[in-house]
Amino acid sequence: MAGIAVIGAGMGAMATAARLAVAGHQVTVYERGATYGGAVGRHERDGFVFDTGPGLLHLPAVYRDLFVKTGKRPLEECAELVQVDPAVRHVLPDGRTVTLPGASHGGAAAVLDEAFGPGAGERWSAVLGRARDAWDATRRPLLEEPLLPDPRALGRDPYPALRGSGLLRRRPPTLAEVAARELGGDGLGGLLAERVRAYGIDPRTAPASAAVLPYMEQTFGSWYVRGGMRELATAVYERCLERRVGFVFGAEVREVLVREDRAAGLLLAGGGAVEADLVVCAVDPGPLRIPLGPGAAPGRPAGSARWYTLFAGLRGAREDGAAHRTMPAGPQPDRTVTVLRPDDPATRPDADHEAVTVHAVVTGGGPAPSAGELLDAAARAVPGLRERLLWHELRTPADIEAATGAAAGAVPAPSLAGAGGRLLHPSNTTAVPGLYLAGGWAHPGGGLAHAGMTGALVAGLIVEGAEFRGSR
C-alpha cells in the first residue's frame, strides 16, 4: 500500500483518487479551494441555481464505469441522468430554427433535409461517417490508452478528406474547410463549426478530426443530471469518502517535493510539507514547474479560447416545448453562444420562474462579449427574455481564475489527433518517477468525460506499471 497525494479536487482528481483507494492505496486530496469539483461548481441566488461549468455530460459510460469499479451502487443510484432530447436547437442568422433529435443519425438527416433542402442530410451524414472513421482509428490511443512515448502517429489527421475537394493538395484540411467544402456555405457548414467551437476549439485552425466531437454527441447523446451537474461532482466526492479518501481543503500546493530523483511529497503554501510515496497532479502542471514526460506535446496545447458565462433569473414559466440547449448564431465569426434551459424544478424558486445559463466561447482573439450582447443572443432562444428578466450576472475568465486557480481562467479542450500533435495534452507519466498527471490538463484532455478517463489511466499506470495499455 502506497501513500498517495493528489493535487486538486476536480473531477479527474476524484476519479483517480477513488480508483486508487479501491486498489488498496491510502489517498489524500489537497485542494486550494474550499470545496470539491473544480470547474463543476454551483452558483445560487434568490432560489435560482446554476452550473458554473459544463452543463451537459457526453460519454456517460466513463462515469458509469467509475462507479461500477469503485463500489456496489451504480451511478444511476447516486445521480439521476436524463438524456437531452432534442439534443440541440440551432437558431440561424435569418431566424429559422433547426432542432436536431438526440442520438439519432437518421432523424438528424431528415431535419436537415427539411431545413436546407434535399441532400443536406446526406451530406451531414457523410461528414459524420468520415468522423466515425476518425473515431474508430483514434478512440483507443487517444482516449483509452496512456499516450505512447512517441505519439507522432496521433499527429497525423485521421479524418479521410473527401477526394476531389481540393483539400489534399497542400496540407490536411481544417475543420472550417471541411465544413465549407463538404457541407456548403448555405448555413449547414456553420452548424458543424459552431458545435466544435463550443468545446473551445477554433474551427479555422483545428484539424478535420475535430468532427469527432459532434459525431460523439450525435451517437452517444447528451445527458443532464437532475439538480445540475454539481450533483455528479457530489456523487463522485461521496464515492471517494466511501472509499476512505481523505480531503484537505484550503491547502494550496506550492511545489512537488523530489528526493533522490523521485517524487516524495508536497510543499504547501503555508510552508508545511506532506510526505507521500506517489504524487498525482490533477491541476495545470505549468505553475508547479513539473517536468513533462517524453510523450508531451511541445508547449501548452493550442487553445486560446476564453469562456464567459451569464446567469439570468427570469419571471414566468418555461414554455412547453422549450429546448434544453439552444445555439443562436450571431454576427461574430469567432464566438459561439450556448443557451441552457433545463426543465428542472431544482434550478428555480418555483414553477413561475426560470433559470437560464448562457455560455460564450471566444476563439482567435475576438473581443470579449458584454452582458448586453449575451442577453441579446439569449433573447433569440428565450421568448420575451428582456421583459421577463429579474437580474443577471456575468462571469468572466478572471472570475474563473479566482474560483479555480486556472491561469487567465483557461479551460482545457479535449485532445485531438492531427495538427502535428499540437492539440495533444501531456502524457499521464512525467519525467519524475512517482509523479503522474491527471485531470483536464493531461492526456486525453478537458471536458467531463475526458477528465474522468484520466482516473482509469493513472490508476492503471500506478497499479499495473508502465506496461499498462488500458482496459479492454
Side-chain angles (χ1 to χ4, degrees), residues 111-133:
V111 168
L112 294 173
D113 274 342
E114 183 176 350
F116 296 101
E122 183 178 357
R123 297 199 307 274
W124 177 270
S125 296
V127 167
L128 291 197
R130 288 186 280 278
R132 179 194 60 220
D133 293 341

Side-chain angles (χ1 to χ4, degrees), residues 293-317:
R300 180 182 297 278
S304 58
R306 289 169 289 133
W307 296 72
Y308 299 81
T309 302
L310 185 138
F311 308 119
L314 306 185
R315 65 171 65 87

Side-chain angles (χ1 to χ4, degrees), residues 368-436:
S370 67
E373 289 175 320
L374 294 186
L375 286 172
D376 288 342
R380 304 187 68 210
V382 183
L385 180 140
R386 288 286 189 177
E387 294 75 20
R388 299 172 57 197
L389 185 65
L390 293 171
W391 54 264
H392 66 273
E393 294 183 22
L394 178 63
R395 189 170 186 254
T396 69
D399 297 318
I400 297 175
E401 180 176 11
T404 68
V411 177
S415 289
L416 289 175
R422 64 179 174 82
L423 292 178
L424 298 175
H425 289 69
S427 61
N428 306 108
T429 55
T430 71
V432 179
L435 175 57
Y436 300 84

Side-chain angles (χ1 to χ4, degrees), residues 17-18 21-22 25 70-72 238-245:
V22 166
H25 297 293
T70 59
K72 294 182 179 179
E238 291 177 347
R239 176 55 53 90
C240 285
L241 295 181
E242 291 173 9
R243 307 314 305 183
R244 291 181 165 77
V245 173

